[in-house]
């Protein structure tokens, strides 16, 4: 089976695992309820924050609207949280989140991706998942 056929599954596993990890870490540092949500919202640009708040007004939770495209912003906006968690791998995590977001956007808009780019992205997703301790998901991505 071509690596490209795994992309949707890999992106879903990545989104779920990282979303859960970010909520857990932000809650640990900033507290539950509005604490972690304010930290999340404070990491976003004004335009992204406005879109998230609009979705939340429509009844979606902050966790539900936490999107792959927000992951890099959260890593940068909550630098102290994730530098502590990732140590020397922090800068790599930011780069990986950016790369995965770019490929996800291309994938979502049905752009043709060269197989080597797909393979690189699957590897990057697996590395990020291992970094956050989501070993089972990382293994699933690289099957």
């Amino acid at each position: 089976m071509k690596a490209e056929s795994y992309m949707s599954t890999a992106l879903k596993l990545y989104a779920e695992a990282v979303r859960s990890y970010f909520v857990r870490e932000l809650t640990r540092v900033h507290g539950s309820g509005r604490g972690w949500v304010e930290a999340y919202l404070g990491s976003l640009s004004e335009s992204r924050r406005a879109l998230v708040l609009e979705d939340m007004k429509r009844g979606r939770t902050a966790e539900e609207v936490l999107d792959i495209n927000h992951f890099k912003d959260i890593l940068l906006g909550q630098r102290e949280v994730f530098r502590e968690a990732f140590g020397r791998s922090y800068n790599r995590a930011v780069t990986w989140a950016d790369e995965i977001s770019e490929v996800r956007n291309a994938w979502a808009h049905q752009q043709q991706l060269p197989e080597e780019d797909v393979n690189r992205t699957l590897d990057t997703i697996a590395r990020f998942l291992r970094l956050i301790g989501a070993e089972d998901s990382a293994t699933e991505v690289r099957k």
Side-chain angles (χ1 to χ4, degrees), residues 1-9 107 111-115 118-119 122:
M1 186 181 282
K2 293 175 87 174
E4 187 176 307
S5 65
Y6 294 114
M7 186 62 77
S8 293
T9 299
W107 185 259
Q111 294 175 7
Q112 185 65 33
L113 299 172
E115 190 164 343
V118 171
N119 283 323
L122 293 172

Side-chain angles (χ1 to χ4, degrees), residues 20-37:
S20 177
Y21 177 79
F22 281 177
V23 171
R24 186 172 56 251
E25 286 301 300
L26 292 176
T27 298
R28 179 183 64 78
V29 173
H30 298 288
S32 59
R34 294 294 300 172
W36 82 266
V37 174

Side-chain angles (χ1 to χ4, degrees), residues 10 17 25 31 35 52 61 63 76 79 85 100 102-103 127-128 135:
E25 286 301 300
V52 167
T61 67
E63 189 169 354
L76 292 172
R79 182 175 287 116
I100 296 165
E102 286 182 25
V103 170
R127 288 171 187 261
F128 199 107
E135 195 63 45

Side-chain angles (χ1 to χ4, degrees), residues 72-89:
K72 179 184 173 188
D73 296 338
I74 295 167
L75 287 169
L76 292 172
Q78 297 297 311
R79 182 175 287 116
E80 69 285 351
V81 174
F82 296 105
R83 274 215 171 148
E84 178 187 329
F86 298 152
R88 297 184 69 172
S89 296

